[in-house]
Amino acid sequence: CIIGAKRMLESVDPAGKDCHAAILAKDIAQIIHADKQHRRFAVLLSGDTGFYSGAKKLIEALDGMDVDVLPGVGSLSYFCARLHRSWEDVRPISLHGIECDLIGEVRRNAAVFSLLGGTDGAKNALQRLCTAGFDHLTVHIGEKLGYADEKISSGSAQELIEHEYDPLSVMLIENSDSAG
């Protein structure tokens, strides 16, 4: 039995497997607990299993069950590789479903990577940068990383704010004048 977001299920061969579309840990756990037919389940999650991932809540929801976590390539590592840069000096944050002091992080760090969320996630982050006077900073936006229609855009925050971005995006902000 395979469980995951619809886009994750579309990336595997479901032949001979029962598939269930679910995203939230509680919904996935409910499917597993209610299923009397299967003994083994594969849950497909995107992103890095240790960086603001649904894996944390799912493991908690499956307390007492035998769970193996098999990580894939995380978006921070992947994106920095695509930009031909290391990520050892990058401060990782998330703007995906949580509040974070983006401007404070950019002030303190020479490079900030952020998960973005929602339809206007990239545009909102760029607007925050421009409003704070960081419109000149170099920003890289990665959309649909790892997919055939992956796109990476680079420019100043002011240049990039004029465009539309996929909800499945990440951002790297470079600030050579940071306090850190």
Side-chain angles (χ1 to χ4, degrees):
C1 181
I2 303 172
I3 307 168
K6 186 178 180 214
R7 71 179 175 86
M8 298 301 296
L9 293 173
E10 290 170 352
S11 70
V12 298
D13 178 9
K17 307 283 188 268
D18 289 331
C19 295
H20 299 277
I23 297 172
L24 299 176
K26 66 179 182 64
D27 296 336
I28 296 168
Q30 182 179 14
I31 291 168
I32 292 171
H33 290 301
D35 189 306
K36 303 301 179 207
Q37 179 183 357
H38 300 97
R39 293 191 47 196
R40 300 181 89 187
F41 300 85
V43 178
L44 307 178
L45 300 172
S46 64
D48 188 318
T49 58
F51 185 58
Y52 297 99
S53 169
K56 181 179 178 181
K57 287 184 180 177
L58 182 58
I59 291 167
E60 292 168 0
L62 298 176
D63 186 42
M65 298 183 99
D66 186 18
V67 176
D68 290 321
V69 177
L70 306 173
V73 177
S75 55
L76 171 58
S77 174
Y78 182 93
F79 192 44
C80 285
R82 296 288 286 130
L83 294 173
H84 302 115
R85 78 173 322 275
S86 68
W87 56 276
E88 60 209 20
D89 64 334
V90 174
R91 168 75 169 123
I93 64 170
S94 179
L95 297 173
H96 181 65
I98 62 171
E99 264 308 304
C100 180
D101 181 12
L102 172 65
I103 301 308
E105 294 294 347
V106 170
R107 279 194 181 104
R108 290 186 295 274
N109 297 281
V112 175
F113 168 86
S114 182
L115 299 174
L116 301 171
T119 306
D120 295 325
K123 206 170 245 327
N124 290 339
L126 290 165
Q127 184 62 53
R128 288 165 72 178
L129 290 170
C130 290
T131 300
F134 290 134
D135 54 323
H136 64 286
L137 294 183
T138 299
V139 177
H140 309 278
I141 299 175
E143 302 174 71
K144 300 181 90 171
L145 297 179
Y147 288 89
D149 54 348
E150 168 182 293
K151 181 178 176 188
I152 296 176
S153 304
S154 298
S156 71
Q158 187 63 50
E159 292 167 342
L160 295 177
I161 201 167
E162 302 301 322
H163 306 284
E164 299 296 321
Y165 301 96
D166 192 87
L168 190 58
S169 297
V170 298
M171 176 181 286
L172 181 78
I173 306 151
E174 298 182 86
N175 182 9
S176 58
D177 297 327
S178 69

